[in-house]
Amino acid sequence: VKILLINGNTSDAITASMARVARAVASAGTEVIAVTAEFGARVVSSRSENAIASHAVVTAAAQHHEGCDAVLVAISMDTGRDALRELMPIPAVGMTEAAALVACTLGSRFGVVTLGKRTVPMYEELIAGYGLERRLAGIEAVDIATTGYDETQRIQSGITELAARLIERGAEVIVLAGAAIAGQHRELQADIAVPLLDGITCGVHLAELLVRVGAKKATVGSFSHPGPKALVNVDPSLTKLFGKA
Amino acid sequence: VKILLINGNTSDAITASMARVARAVASAGTEVIAVTAEFGARVVSSRSENAIASHAVVTAAAQHHEGCDAVLVAISMDTGRDALRELMPIPAVGMTEAAALVACTLGSRFGVVTLGKRTVPMYEELIAGYGLERRLAGIEAVDIATTGYDETQRIQSGITELAARLIERGAEVIVLAGAAIAGQHRELQADIAVPLLDGITCGVHLAELLVRVGAKKATVGSFSHPGPKALVNVDPSLTKLFGKA
Amino acid sequence: VKILLINGNTSDAITASMARVARAVASAGTEVIAVTAEFGARVVSSRSENAIASHAVVTAAAQHHEGCDAVLVAISMDTGRDALRELMPIPAVGMTEAAALVACTLGSRFGVVTLGKRTVPMYEELIAGYGLERRLAGIEAVDIATTGYDETQRIQSGITELAARLIERGAEVIVLAGAAIAGQHRELQADIAVPLLDGITCGVHLAELLVRVGAKKATVGSFSHPGPKALVNVDPSLTKLFGKA
Amino acid sequence: VKILLINGNTSDAITASMARVARAVASAGTEVIAVTAEFGARVVSSRSENAIASHAVVTAAAQHHEGCDAVLVAISMDTGRDALRELMPIPAVGMTEAAALVACTLGSRFGVVTLGKRTVPMYEELIAGYGLERRLAGIEAVDIATTGYDETQRIQSGITELAARLIERGAEVIVLAGAAIAGQHRELQADIAVPLLDGITCGVHLAELLVRVGAKKATVGSFSHPGPKALVNVDPSLTKLFGKA
Amino acid sequence: VKILLINGNTSDAITASMARVARAVASAGTEVIAVTAEFGARVVSSRSENAIASHAVVTAAAQHHEGCDAVLVAISMDTGRDALRELMPIPAVGMTEAAALVACTLGSRFGVVTLGKRTVPMYEELIAGYGLERRLAGIEAVDIATTGYDETQRIQSGITELAARLIERGAEVIVLAGAAIAGQHRELQADIAVPLLDGITCGVHLAELLVRVGAKKATVGSFSHPGPKALVNVDPSLTKLFGKA
Amino acid sequence: VKILLINGNTSDAITASMARVARAVASAGTEVIAVTAEFGARVVSSRSENAIASHAVVTAAAQHHEGCDAVLVAISMDTGRDALRELMPIPAVGMTEAAALVACTLGSRFGVVTLGKRTVPMYEELIAGYGLERRLAGIEAVDIATTGYDETQRIQSGITELAARLIERGAEVIVLAGAAIAGQHRELQADIAVPLLDGITCGVHLAELLVRVGAKKATVGSFSHPGPKALVNVDPSLTKLFGKA
């Protein structure tokens, strides 16, 4: 199984860190190809940066998917995931979506802990968009200065504290959302009384699952290929992909 | 009042047609500046084309908003609307959003009629994303070949028939969705027993309303300006707009 | 444009105060005719007073609508609004409805601040009846003695504090609900970090918008005219209006 | 047990017919006092007539409740029920509410069959207002001319046919809604494969149940008595009732 | 009227205590037959114990229903209630369901107070399964050690305090859930400002109501009798009941 | 990985058939242990049979889970799944749950096709209980005589036809529900335009995923072990499992 991991943030360091987590958990025989979006915000944390990233993610997928079996959208807003599902011949999963679906198998309601208070409504809409708001106990964010994500110690104790608050409000599983903190569940789980799920870990395994299940690509409906369309001023790989009706 | 109308489809003909409708209904003293997205699909009708258009719409807004009082997102998926609301110093409304909100003042539930069956789930998600699914009686689409929107006669009788079907299912207002058919409510209303609303007409008036209400820009929350952020390989006007914390 | 503002509270002082706000914000060329309900509670703040006011509002509309272009229901429970929409040949908007719809264009979720804790469930039902509960962050009420609304200072600082609490819980817009405090958003906005919306201001502009949009009156459905009906012991103007099928 | 049955329609014939049904099913020792609203529509079937009836129902309750143990709101929109619950010292139930709650004990989802297509959205809002929309399989109405309810034969076969259609769509119980057809479940049940519930029958028994349960009147919240309030131009019995804090 | 009260907990003391409450409130002429489940947990308070109890409740019903008019499921999770509704020729009500439905006639939203924090999600699912989550203000549980329910004093003051907290959050009625504390509403009501409802009290009266309403048993749908089925290794009374198509 | 497949129907033939499917799709290195419930209905298709099966499933799990890594509940109502999640030290997934969660990664809304019309409300409640009703396009059932499941040809053409009907109504994925037809997606997929998912196939891969993700068992909340409890007259293996706090 060959998984294309696309970081929608234009930060190679975050790509490398997520790739390390992905490779560490992947099943024997799974290869992870990691690429970074070529334009947009270094660290996407707003709606407008996300609007740019959605174009960057589909462009990266068009450029790099040949020979891959599945795409893992490795940006915590799962940016562009629906577009890829429609356009690509292979399955696509989002990292936060993957953790949310796995959470549904482990408890009644799950909580989400992330970084940056202004993203909370964005995650609420993401989870609601998945039709999972009834499974959601709440979302909490460690406050961060927009310029830095590096205060590891303070962030980790913030996550633990917010997880406890969500458990108090009924969360029976915690989803850790954020590309920058992917993989930190390994260190944090010991301090949290319920399962702590990581998007990259769940995403790699869900991508593998989809390859194994081998479901057919829909030939009708909003997830079938859009068919040949006229596009202007986009990357040639995109034009080519749109041409493959 | 100066309204920036942004067509997220890269088709100048559709821009011109929507601008004509907008200018015809605008209040005395309202000026409409119409621009066309510079990259992406000629006529956006899929999730992947929409993912590209969201970048094109924010770029066009960044380039052209100086001196304007409000933005009217003139693409029927309201692409990029949330991003503009956050990033721009002026209000933004989507054409389908505008018609949906006006519909809420005219009946209990509204129906949506559009072109192209594969977009139905996309509109369902759009309306659900606005939290208005309980006001929605249903969505119907006139089937079209992906290559042409020009069979005016067949499309118009299709719209009338689908509107009647939605009325039978409880729709008390009909929203006409689709940039390509903006303004056609004037000809079609006579054959439909309930109010027929057009996104551009409602959008121009809602944009004027927002300018008149003059609400403050939020300084906290997910619709406050994201603050200075590092972006790469984007249009300089976007970089400049992100810099204006 | 001629707007009939109907105060469903039987208090001329409140009518006068709302009319002042309405006239101050109305567009050039808009005239506001303000009338007061002729029977019922001085200040409506319970379900039973509201049940009486619904009759009073439709009676006042029947008596005074001739020559007007739209009705603004100027009582914060939007009492009788649906009845007017059905019975009258002209559009009708409620003041709280207007602010709630405008709020939907400015943020993901809005909060409501009002006076009197016992009305909170009534506002919850009002917003839910509009199908907007998924846009609602919460409702808070400044506690008041039932006999007096005059402690302006205490009320205003209460509003500011409750708005801050709602923002903390995710409100990105605040709707100020209450006929008695209409227009106070002008003084209070400076102390509140997100847009603060006033029902009369939004209602006047939404009434103007509906006149400009000029939607057809439905000829079928629950908002078409009920047709000639036998009524007993009601105001002659109501009998006349029911006779106009 | 003494039950005050209030017909919100100003038709003595309908009152008499509902009273007959009520007395036939009441437990031994239950007395039914039946009164008719003194103003408003002969047969309420629109939002505006309902707005008038809400005042008429609370007035009738204020005039006639002395010595009674519970109120049965005998108009199929349950008009004024919430107001009575708040204002009166005794419990109040609506006839459609009663049938809907009993339906919840007999099947997963229930259907509603009524008369007059234009009332369907009104019943949808009524059921949604009770928070029971997830238990609702659908609402169907026999079409009637607004001037007559007397074609018994055609109406009864219409009800049977629509009930079958709702059963096909998942209804496991049918609620028969409409003051004019109260009690007809006795003749119709044989032709319907699931339980058919009548608002007056369920309402009398639910009123008896509430008297027997003997729950305390709330002293806080939106269903506590509103306290002494200033009202003008209303029936003296209402003024008196508002005075009884 | 003869009511079969089935305690799904295998504790005779709790059966006796609930039977006392049931007999104290039953109408003249109502007889209560009380039986205890023959296998499973002494006091059911988890999902796995509930899974066992569902079998025990249907077995007890099969063994003891002859000659009875209705079943009252006297275990606070209403275990097996849906199964009985389908399989038995007589109506069945759950004690918590009964209190929840009565609560719906007394206020907008109700709160639930119970024992044992780990059961809170189970009650949330129970209420949601009844389609009543929009009527729910919240659920709170007095914390208990798993080994003892006997600290009456501490539990009662806990209930009063949690009820007050729920009232603060909008509860206008309180449902007291838990077989072990059935009937304690009589002592606790004085300290709680809104109606306090008890499952056994409401359940006995709702069972009586269903007998009086006398609804037909469905002959189609998921609550009709399942028809003759092959079962192995179950109680002969169950086999017999399944045979009675 | 060692997966314990528990058939909640007491039919060895169905167990064998599901085990064959499971083994055919399992990853290299995955072993499937298949067991059959020891009491209850041969083929569970009603609420009362399901109530018995929940006890049978937890008993079978208690008897056979030693040495296994995950449980696959192989009965299409996912009977007992929540109980196992709480009581067992290893993860548990239901076959219909597994297909529903995988469906969420492949389309906006999914449809369910099953056998036997009376089970449709039961599946609706199952999906709603998973909080996934917003992802559900509809449920359709091939009608069957209760005595036979053997008309393979008629059932398969029925499934294909109902799938097409659900696609028409917006389903973008079809879940095939029913233990008796597990694995038939392989033959049927060719005739269905969207992905067709099978519970056993998805369940085996989801069980494998959960083992690989290796999430911690919750130590608090409703899915932590219930702790030592007193039970009577149950299988010794159950008593032992409850003792393992």
Side-chain angles (χ1 to χ4, degrees):
Chain A
V1 175
K2 216 165 173 174
I3 296 175
L4 175 62
L5 179 159
I6 302 175
N7 180 10
N9 306 284
T10 58
S11 158
D12 289 328
I14 294 179
T15 308
S17 147
M18 292 194 287
R20 260 194 308 277
V21 176
R23 286 171 189 137
V25 301
S27 298
T30 292
E31 186 185 347
V32 175
I33 318 292
V35 302
T36 306
E38 293 197 341
F39 54 89
R42 287 290 182 216
V43 181
V44 172
S45 62
S46 74
R47 299 170 189 281
S48 37
E49 295 158 84
N50 214 34
I52 299 164
S54 65
H55 181 199
V57 167
V58 295
T59 303
Q63 291 170 337
H64 301 286
H65 77 283
E66 295 282 352
C68 292
D69 300 298
V71 180
L72 171 53
V73 178
I75 170 171
S76 64
M77 300 305 298
D78 297 345
T79 317
R81 182 204 60 131
D82 265 8
L84 297 187
R85 249 169 222 179
E86 167 199 84
L87 190 59
M88 312 287 289
I90 54 176
V93 296
M95 63 184 280
T96 298
E97 173 194 33
L101 291 175
V102 172
C104 289
T105 71
L106 296 171
S108 290
R109 292 199 286 141
F110 62 87
V112 176
V113 180
T114 188
L115 306 187
K117 285 206 70 164
R118 73 170 289 140
T119 63
V120 171
M122 296 170 69
Y123 283 108
E124 282 175 354
E125 289 160 28
L126 187 70
I127 300 297
Y130 294 157
L132 295 176
E133 67 273 59
R134 298 188 56 202
R135 301 299 293 268
L136 186 67
I139 302 177
E140 294 283 347
V142 179
D143 223 342
I144 48 164
T146 48
T147 46
Y149 283 89
D150 52 358
E151 319 154 75
T152 308
Q153 188 61 41
R154 193 181 65 77
I155 285 172
Q156 294 207 342
S157 66
I159 290 169
T160 306
E161 185 191 322
L162 295 175
R165 194 181 301 174
L166 287 165
I167 291 168
E168 183 64 26
R169 268 158 48 198
E172 304 191 311
V173 189
I174 301 293
V175 167
L176 192 57
I181 51 176
Q184 300 200 5
H185 65 297
R186 291 167 301 196
E187 297 146 67
L188 294 165
Q189 177 66 88
D191 295 327
I192 294 175
V194 300
L196 180 65
L197 297 177
D198 169 61
I200 293 298
T201 304
C202 294
V204 166
H205 290 304
L206 191 55
E208 291 176 349
L209 175 152
L210 288 175
V211 175
R212 286 179 191 129
V213 165
K216 169 182 181 165
K217 168 92 182 172
T219 58
V220 301
S222 74
F223 286 98
S224 60
H225 188 284
K229 295 289 303 264
L231 289 99
V232 296
N233 299 330
V234 299
D235 192 89
S237 65
L238 265 176
T239 310
K240 191 177 156 203
L241 201 48
F242 271 97
K244 281 186 184 166
Chain B
V1 176
K2 216 166 176 173
I3 296 175
L4 176 62
L5 179 158
I6 302 175
N7 180 11
N9 306 286
T10 59
S11 158
D12 289 327
I14 294 177
T15 309
S17 150
M18 291 194 288
R20 261 196 306 277
V21 177
R23 284 169 190 139
V25 300
S27 299
T30 293
E31 186 184 348
V32 175
I33 319 292
V35 302
T36 305
E38 295 196 341
F39 54 88
R42 287 292 180 215
V43 181
V44 172
S45 62
S46 73
R47 299 169 190 282
S48 37
E49 296 158 84
N50 214 35
I52 299 165
S54 66
H55 181 198
V57 168
V58 297
T59 303
Q63 290 170 338
H64 301 285
H65 77 282
E66 295 281 352
C68 294
D69 301 297
V71 180
L72 171 54
V73 177
I75 170 171
S76 65
M77 299 307 298
D78 298 346
T79 317
R81 183 202 61 129
D82 266 7
L84 297 186
R85 249 169 221 178
E86 166 199 87
L87 189 60
M88 311 287 290
I90 56 177
V93 295
M95 63 184 280
T96 298
E97 173 194 34
L101 291 176
V102 172
C104 288
T105 72
L106 296 171
S108 291
R109 292 198 287 143
F110 62 88
V112 176
V113 180
T114 189
L115 305 187
K117 285 205 72 166
R118 71 171 289 141
T119 62
V120 171
M122 296 170 70
Y123 283 106
E124 281 175 354
E125 289 160 29
L126 187 71
I127 301 297
Y130 294 158
L132 294 177
E133 68 273 60
R134 296 188 58 201
R135 301 299 292 268
L136 185 67
I139 303 178
E140 293 284 347
V142 179
D143 222 344
I144 48 165
T146 48
T147 46
Y149 283 89
D150 51 359
E151 316 154 77
T152 309
Q153 188 59 40
R154 193 181 65 78
I155 285 172
Q156 293 205 344
S157 67
I159 290 169
T160 307
E161 184 191 323
L162 294 175
R165 195 181 301 175
L166 288 165
I167 291 168
E168 183 63 25
R169 267 155 53 196
E172 303 192 312
V173 190
I174 302 293
V175 167
L176 193 56
I181 50 175
Q184 300 200 6
H185 65 297
R186 292 168 300 197
E187 296 145 66
L188 294 166
Q189 177 68 86
D191 295 326
I192 294 176
V194 302
L196 180 65
L197 297 176
D198 169 62
I200 294 297
T201 305
C202 293
V204 166
H205 290 304
L206 192 55
E208 291 176 349
L209 177 151
L210 288 175
V211 175
R212 287 180 191 127
V213 165
K216 168 182 183 166
K217 169 92 181 172
T219 57
V220 301
S222 73
F223 286 98
S224 60
H225 188 282
K229 295 290 300 267
L231 289 98
V232 298
N233 299 329
V234 298
D235 192 88
S237 65
L238 264 178
T239 310
K240 190 177 157 203
L241 201 49
F242 271 97
K244 284 188 181 166
Chain C
V1 177
K2 216 166 175 173
I3 296 175
L4 175 63
L5 179 160
I6 302 175
N7 179 10
N9 305 285
T10 59
S11 158
D12 289 328
I14 294 177
T15 308
S17 147
M18 291 194 288
R20 261 195 307 277
V21 177
R23 286 171 188 135
V25 301
S27 298
T30 292
E31 186 185 348
V32 175
I33 320 293
V35 302
T36 306
E38 293 198 343
F39 54 90
R42 287 292 179 214
V43 180
V44 171
S45 63
S46 73
R47 299 169 190 280
S48 36
E49 296 158 84
N50 214 35
I52 299 165
S54 66
H55 181 200
V57 167
V58 295
T59 302
Q63 289 171 337
H64 300 286
H65 76 283
E66 294 281 351
C68 292
D69 299 299
V71 180
L72 172 53
V73 177
I75 169 169
S76 65
M77 299 305 299
D78 297 347
T79 317
R81 182 204 61 130
D82 265 8
L84 297 185
R85 248 168 222 179
E86 168 199 85
L87 189 60
M88 310 288 289
I90 55 177
V93 295
M95 63 185 281
T96 298
E97 173 193 34
L101 291 175
V102 172
C104 288
T105 71
L106 296 171
S108 291
R109 291 199 287 140
F110 63 88
V112 175
V113 180
T114 189
L115 305 187
K117 285 205 72 166
R118 72 170 291 141
T119 63
V120 171
M122 297 170 69
Y123 282 108
E124 281 174 356
E125 289 159 29
L126 188 71
I127 300 297
Y130 294 157
L132 294 176
E133 68 272 58
R134 297 188 57 202
R135 301 299 292 269
L136 185 67
I139 303 178
E140 292 284 347
V142 179
D143 223 342
I144 47 164
T146 48
T147 46
Y149 283 89
D150 52 359
E151 316 153 78
T152 308
Q153 189 59 42
R154 193 180 65 79
I155 285 172
Q156 293 206 343
S157 67
I159 290 168
T160 307
E161 185 191 322
L162 294 175
R165 194 182 300 175
L166 287 165
I167 291 167
E168 183 63 26
R169 267 157 50 198
E172 302 191 314
V173 190
I174 302 293
V175 167
L176 192 57
I181 51 177
Q184 298 200 5
H185 64 297
R186 292 168 299 198
E187 297 144 67
L188 295 165
Q189 177 69 86
D191 296 326
I192 294 175
V194 300
L196 180 65
L197 296 177
D198 169 61
I200 294 298
T201 304
C202 294
V204 165
H205 290 304
L206 191 55
E208 291 176 349
L209 175 151
L210 288 176
V211 175
R212 285 180 191 127
V213 165
K216 167 182 183 167
K217 168 92 181 172
T219 58
V220 300
S222 74
F223 286 99
S224 60
H225 188 283
K229 293 292 300 268
L231 290 98
V232 297
N233 299 329
V234 299
D235 192 89
S237 64
L238 265 178
T239 310
K240 190 176 158 203
L241 200 50
F242 271 97
K244 282 186 182 168
Chain D
V1 175
K2 216 165 174 173
I3 296 175
L4 177 63
L5 179 159
I6 301 176
N7 180 9
N9 306 285
T10 58
S11 159
D12 289 327
I14 294 178
T15 309
S17 148
M18 292 194 288
R20 259 194 309 276
V21 177
R23 285 170 189 137
V25 301
S27 299
T30 292
E31 187 184 347
V32 174
I33 319 291
V35 302
T36 306
E38 293 197 341
F39 54 88
R42 285 294 179 212
V43 180
V44 171
S45 62
S46 73
R47 301 170 188 282
S48 37
E49 295 159 84
N50 214 35
I52 299 164
S54 67
H55 182 198
V57 168
V58 297
T59 303
Q63 290 170 338
H64 300 286
H65 76 283
E66 294 283 351
C68 293
D69 300 299
V71 180
L72 170 54
V73 178
I75 170 171
S76 65
M77 300 305 300
D78 298 346
T79 317
R81 182 202 62 130
D82 266 8
L84 297 187
R85 247 168 222 181
E86 167 198 87
L87 189 60
M88 311 288 290
I90 56 177
V93 295
M95 63 185 279
T96 299
E97 173 194 33
L101 291 175
V102 172
C104 288
T105 71
L106 296 171
S108 291
R109 292 199 287 142
F110 62 88
V112 176
V113 180
T114 189
L115 306 187
K117 286 205 71 165
R118 72 171 289 141
T119 62
V120 171
M122 297 170 69
Y123 283 106
E124 282 176 354
E125 290 160 28
L126 187 72
I127 300 298
Y130 293 158
L132 294 176
E133 68 273 58
R134 297 188 57 203
R135 300 299 292 270
L136 186 67
I139 301 178
E140 293 285 346
V142 179
D143 222 343
I144 45 164
T146 49
T147 46
Y149 284 88
D150 51 359
E151 316 154 77
T152 309
Q153 188 60 41
R154 193 180 66 77
I155 285 171
Q156 294 206 342
S157 65
I159 290 169
T160 306
E161 185 191 323
L162 295 175
R165 194 180 301 173
L166 288 165
I167 291 168
E168 184 62 25
R169 267 154 54 197
E172 303 192 311
V173 190
I174 301 292
V175 167
L176 193 56
I181 49 175
Q184 299 199 5
H185 64 297
R186 292 168 300 197
E187 295 146 66
L188 295 165
Q189 176 69 85
D191 295 326
I192 294 175
V194 301
L196 180 65
L197 296 177
D198 169 61
I200 293 299
T201 304
C202 294
V204 165
H205 290 304
L206 191 56
E208 290 176 350
L209 176 151
L210 288 175
V211 175
R212 287 182 190 125
V213 164
K216 168 181 182 165
K217 169 93 183 171
T219 57
V220 302
S222 74
F223 286 99
S224 60
H225 188 282
K229 294 289 302 266
L231 289 100
V232 297
N233 300 329
V234 298
D235 191 89
S237 65
L238 265 178
T239 311
K240 191 176 157 203
L241 201 50
F242 272 97
K244 281 188 183 164
Chain E
V1 177
K2 216 164 174 174
I3 296 174
L4 175 62
L5 180 159
I6 302 174
N7 180 10
N9 306 285
T10 57
S11 156
D12 289 327
I14 294 178
T15 308
S17 147
M18 292 194 288
R20 261 194 307 277
V21 177
R23 286 170 188 137
V25 302
S27 298
T30 292
E31 186 184 348
V32 175
I33 320 292
V35 302
T36 306
E38 293 197 342
F39 54 88
R42 287 289 182 217
V43 181
V44 172
S45 62
S46 74
R47 300 169 190 282
S48 37
E49 296 159 85
N50 214 35
I52 299 164
S54 66
H55 181 199
V57 167
V58 296
T59 303
Q63 290 170 336
H64 300 285
H65 77 283
E66 294 282 351
C68 292
D69 301 299
V71 179
L72 172 53
V73 177
I75 169 169
S76 65
M77 299 307 296
D78 298 346
T79 317
R81 182 203 60 129
D82 266 7
L84 297 187
R85 249 168 221 179
E86 169 199 84
L87 190 60
M88 311 288 289
I90 55 176
V93 295
M95 62 185 280
T96 299
E97 173 194 33
L101 291 176
V102 172
C104 287
T105 72
L106 296 171
S108 291
R109 291 199 287 140
F110 62 89
V112 175
V113 180
T114 190
L115 306 187
K117 285 205 72 166
R118 73 171 287 142
T119 63
V120 171
M122 296 170 70
Y123 283 107
E124 281 175 355
E125 289 160 30
L126 187 71
I127 300 297
Y130 294 157
L132 294 176
E133 67 273 59
R134 299 190 54 203
R135 301 298 293 269
L136 187 66
I139 302 178
E140 293 284 347
V142 179
D143 223 342
I144 47 163
T146 48
T147 45
Y149 282 90
D150 52 357
E151 318 155 77
T152 308
Q153 188 60 42
R154 193 179 67 78
I155 284 172
Q156 294 206 343
S157 66
I159 290 169
T160 306
E161 185 191 323
L162 294 175
R165 195 182 300 173
L166 287 166
I167 291 168
E168 183 63 25
R169 268 157 50 198
E172 303 191 312
V173 189
I174 302 293
V175 167
L176 192 57
I181 50 175
Q184 299 201 5
H185 65 296
R186 291 169 298 197
E187 296 146 66
L188 294 165
Q189 177 68 85
D191 296 327
I192 295 175
V194 301
L196 179 65
L197 296 177
D198 169 61
I200 293 298
T201 304
C202 294
V204 166
H205 289 304
L206 191 55
E208 290 175 349
L209 176 151
L210 288 175
V211 175
R212 286 181 190 127
V213 165
K216 169 182 183 165
K217 169 92 181 173
T219 58
V220 300
S222 75
F223 287 99
S224 61
H225 187 283
K229 296 288 302 265
L231 290 99
V232 296
N233 299 329
V234 298
D235 192 88
S237 64
L238 265 177
T239 310
K240 190 176 156 203
L241 202 48
F242 271 96
K244 283 187 182 165
Chain F
V1 175
K2 216 167 175 173
I3 296 176
L4 175 62
L5 180 159
I6 303 175
N7 180 10
N9 306 285
T10 58
S11 158
D12 289 327
I14 295 178
T15 308
S17 148
M18 292 194 287
R20 262 194 307 275
V21 178
R23 285 170 189 138
V25 301
S27 298
T30 293
E31 186 185 348
V32 175
I33 319 293
V35 302
T36 306
E38 294 196 341
F39 54 88
R42 287 291 179 215
V43 181
V44 172
S45 64
S46 73
R47 299 169 190 281
S48 36
E49 295 158 85
N50 214 36
I52 299 165
S54 65
H55 181 199
V57 168
V58 296
T59 303
Q63 290 171 336
H64 301 285
H65 76 284
E66 295 282 351
C68 293
D69 300 299
V71 180
L72 171 52
V73 177
I75 170 171
S76 66
M77 300 304 299
D78 297 347
T79 316
R81 182 203 61 131
D82 266 7
L84 297 187
R85 246 166 224 180
E86 168 198 85
L87 190 59
M88 310 287 289
I90 56 176
V93 296
M95 64 184 278
T96 299
E97 173 194 33
L101 291 175
V102 172
C104 288
T105 71
L106 296 172
S108 291
R109 291 197 288 142
F110 62 88
V112 175
V113 180
T114 189
L115 305 187
K117 286 205 71 166
R118 70 171 292 142
T119 62
V120 171
M122 296 169 70
Y123 283 107
E124 282 176 354
E125 290 159 30
L126 187 72
I127 300 297
Y130 294 158
L132 294 177
E133 67 273 58
R134 297 188 58 200
R135 301 298 293 269
L136 186 67
I139 303 178
E140 293 284 347
V142 179
D143 222 342
I144 46 163
T146 49
T147 46
Y149 282 90
D150 51 359
E151 317 154 75
T152 309
Q153 188 61 41
R154 193 180 65 78
I155 285 172
Q156 294 205 342
S157 67
I159 290 169
T160 306
E161 185 192 321
L162 294 176
R165 194 181 300 173
L166 287 165
I167 291 167
E168 184 63 26
R169 267 154 52 196
E172 303 192 313
V173 190
I174 302 292
V175 167
L176 192 57
I181 49 175
Q184 300 200 3
H185 65 296
R186 291 167 300 195
E187 295 144 68
L188 295 165
Q189 177 69 85
D191 296 326
I192 295 176
V194 300
L196 179 66
L197 297 177
D198 169 61
I200 294 297
T201 304
C202 294
V204 165
H205 290 304
L206 191 55
E208 291 176 349
L209 176 151
L210 289 175
V211 175
R212 287 181 190 124
V213 165
K216 168 184 182 164
K217 169 93 182 171
T219 58
V220 301
S222 74
F223 286 98
S224 60
H225 187 283
K229 294 290 300 268
L231 289 99
V232 297
N233 299 329
V234 299
D235 192 89
S237 65
L238 266 178
T239 309
K240 190 175 158 204
L241 201 50
F242 271 98
K244 283 189 181 164

